[in-house]
Amino acid sequence: MNVGANTMTLAAHSLGFTIIPEGKCTFPVRVMNHLKPTAIVGSVFKLLRLARRMEEEGLDPQESSITKLIVGGESFAEESRRYLDEVWGVPCYNTYGSTEGTMCGECTERAGLHVPEDLVHMDVYDPKMQDFVSDGTQGRIVLTTLLPVGERTGNLLINYDTEDLTTVLTRDRCPCGRTHMRIDNPRREAETIYIADVPLNRVDIEKGVFQRENMEYLSGEYEAFVYFDPDAGKAFLRVSLETHDPEGCNQKLVKENFLEALFRERPALGRLHSEGYLEFVYHFPPEGDLELYRLKGRPKRLVDRR
Ligand SMILES: [Zn+2]
């Protein structure tokens, strides 16, 4: 469902799976009833939206034929994955693919993504691209395609900078039996902005949104904008949190949970806030009212408007 997953499709074909291609994420819910798929590949938000549409049509996602979900296409907070598990009542597995490169995926252990080291060589560089970082330290993913003698490929990568960040978790054999090394959920460098030299990634915002208590009021859809007011000498982070019930939403609770989670992840932002440099502004629009719905293409959820 709307994920560029050609490698996954080819692999599934080789394994003999039946595939139902659903390019659009608005496919009719009757597909679920008539074809009884056992797994869906999609992004976290598309799968949450699908669950909501099914509920509206009287179909409980937890009672459906689905036994697992596979997410890909964008990085996400662990909190949003946990919520997705809960809504569907099945485990949800992460994947990582760069458009040009390869496909990494979680196994049933869900303890990092396996890198297919027989197909691709992954290096992790420091942000200035001068040296490798050691395992356990975050750096940029650099890929090189490995080809057996005589094989051909359409897209050959040699020291290709994906501009994605990750950490090598372990090179030990996984309890699932695989020997492929495991990496942390990659994040996109392009989704990181800096407020007074403090990095803020879209996923940090998402962590604050998907605090479990908040989900009693929120749909999970969000967007955030950073502004700077030169007269006040202050930066503003405006966060829009979509709610199913603007009147009944406990805004105070949501704000507190959001800030607490954000500052736990990025303590330096908390300092900027207590020093008075960074202010937060919240907006609780009803469903369908976020700016990102009016824009085409991949939704941008953290926008720098300074
Ligand atoms: Zn494994």
Side-chain angles (χ1 to χ4, degrees):
M1 188 168 70
N2 222 319
V3 168
N6 186 48
T7 318
M8 225 190 284
T9 308
L10 293 173
H13 269 301
S14 302
L15 287 168
F17 291 177
T18 299
I19 296 162
I20 311 164
E22 290 293 353
K24 282 209 174 129
C25 2
T26 49
F27 70 84
V29 166
R30 71 181 138 78
V31 168
M32 303 293 289
N33 280 329
H34 290 181
L35 298 173
K36 303 215 181 304
T38 51
I40 311 179
V41 184
S43 73
V44 169
F45 288 94
K46 302 278 161 59
L47 291 166
L48 283 177
R49 244 175 268 164
L50 176 62
R52 254 193 319 274
R53 282 203 294 127
M54 286 166 65
E55 277 164 1
E56 280 162 18
E57 296 190 28
L59 188 64
D60 181 354
Q62 305 206 5
E63 302 287 310
S64 72
S65 51
I66 298 299
T67 61
K68 57 179 72 67
L69 298 171
I70 296 142
V71 296
E74 58 190 19
S75 56
F76 53 82
E78 202 47 43
E79 284 81 354
S80 45
R81 182 230 290 264
R82 270 206 292 277
Y83 184 63
L84 193 60
D85 281 2
E86 185 188 322
V87 167
W88 283 85
V90 299
C92 144
Y93 297 98
N94 190 13
T95 61
Y96 163 72
S98 76
T99 313
E100 307 80 3
T102 184
M103 192 81 234
C104 304
E106 275 179 340
C107 63
T108 46
E109 297 293 321
R110 297 208 290 184
L113 294 119
H114 283 286
V115 179
E117 291 175 278
D118 45 340
L119 302 173
V120 71
H121 174 76
M122 181 185 286
D123 285 317
V124 186
Y125 277 73
D126 70 43
K128 295 203 171 102
M129 304 295 283
Q130 300 195 328
D131 207 351
F132 305 115
V133 297
S134 43
D135 292 0
T137 307
Q138 195 184 62
R140 282 166 87 132
I141 300 176
V142 173
L143 297 175
T144 298
T145 315
L146 299 178
L147 273 184
V149 175
E151 273 289 316
R152 284 181 291 184
T153 182
N155 210 351
L156 179 72
L157 308 178
I158 300 174
N159 280 339
Y160 177 79
D161 178 8
T162 58
E163 297 184 6
D164 292 336
L165 304 170
T166 196
T167 308
V168 173
L169 297 174
T170 175
R171 294 175 194 266
D172 294 344
R173 180 189 285 264
C174 177
C176 79
R178 286 181 187 83
T179 52
H180 289 154
M181 71 172 175
R182 279 171 285 154
I183 57 168
D184 199 13
N185 193 359
R187 291 184 174 197
R188 298 202 188 281
E189 174 89 346
E191 289 185 328
T192 302
I193 62 168
Y194 290 82
I195 302 175
D197 288 338
V198 178
L200 172 66
N201 187 276
R202 175 185 63 75
V203 175
D204 301 329
I205 305 272
E206 188 169 309
K207 210 177 233 312
V209 175
F210 275 85
Q211 293 300 301
R212 184 60 193 87
E213 262 184 329
N214 292 359
M215 302 315 291
E216 299 300 320
Y217 308 102
L218 306 179
S219 73
E221 296 284 348
Y222 68 93
E223 59 191 2
F225 304 93
V226 177
Y227 299 93
F228 184 73
D229 179 349
D231 297 329
K234 283 181 182 193
F236 289 85
L237 182 67
R238 179 169 156 248
V239 191
S240 298
L241 303 160
E242 189 180 79
T243 167
H244 359 266
D245 174 17
E247 256 87 89
C249 174
N250 187 341
Q251 297 190 5
K252 186 169 172 288
L253 177 96
V254 172
K255 288 177 196 174
E256 281 171 7
N257 284 333
F258 175 82
L259 274 192
E260 202 191 306
L262 182 66
F263 293 165
R264 212 183 313 128
E265 190 69 10
R266 299 281 181 190
L269 283 182
R271 280 197 294 279
L272 290 179
H273 180 56
S274 56
E275 286 162 7
Y277 178 78
L278 174 64
E279 299 286 345
F280 291 83
V281 183
Y282 301 88
H283 180 50
F284 291 87
E287 280 181 32
D289 220 25
L290 293 173
E291 285 186 30
L292 59 87
Y293 294 129
R294 296 194 283 277
L295 303 169
K296 279 214 165 4
R298 187 194 286 269
K300 249 197 127 193
R301 294 182 187 274
L302 175 59
V303 182
D304 193 349
R305 290 200 172 147
R306 287 170 293 181

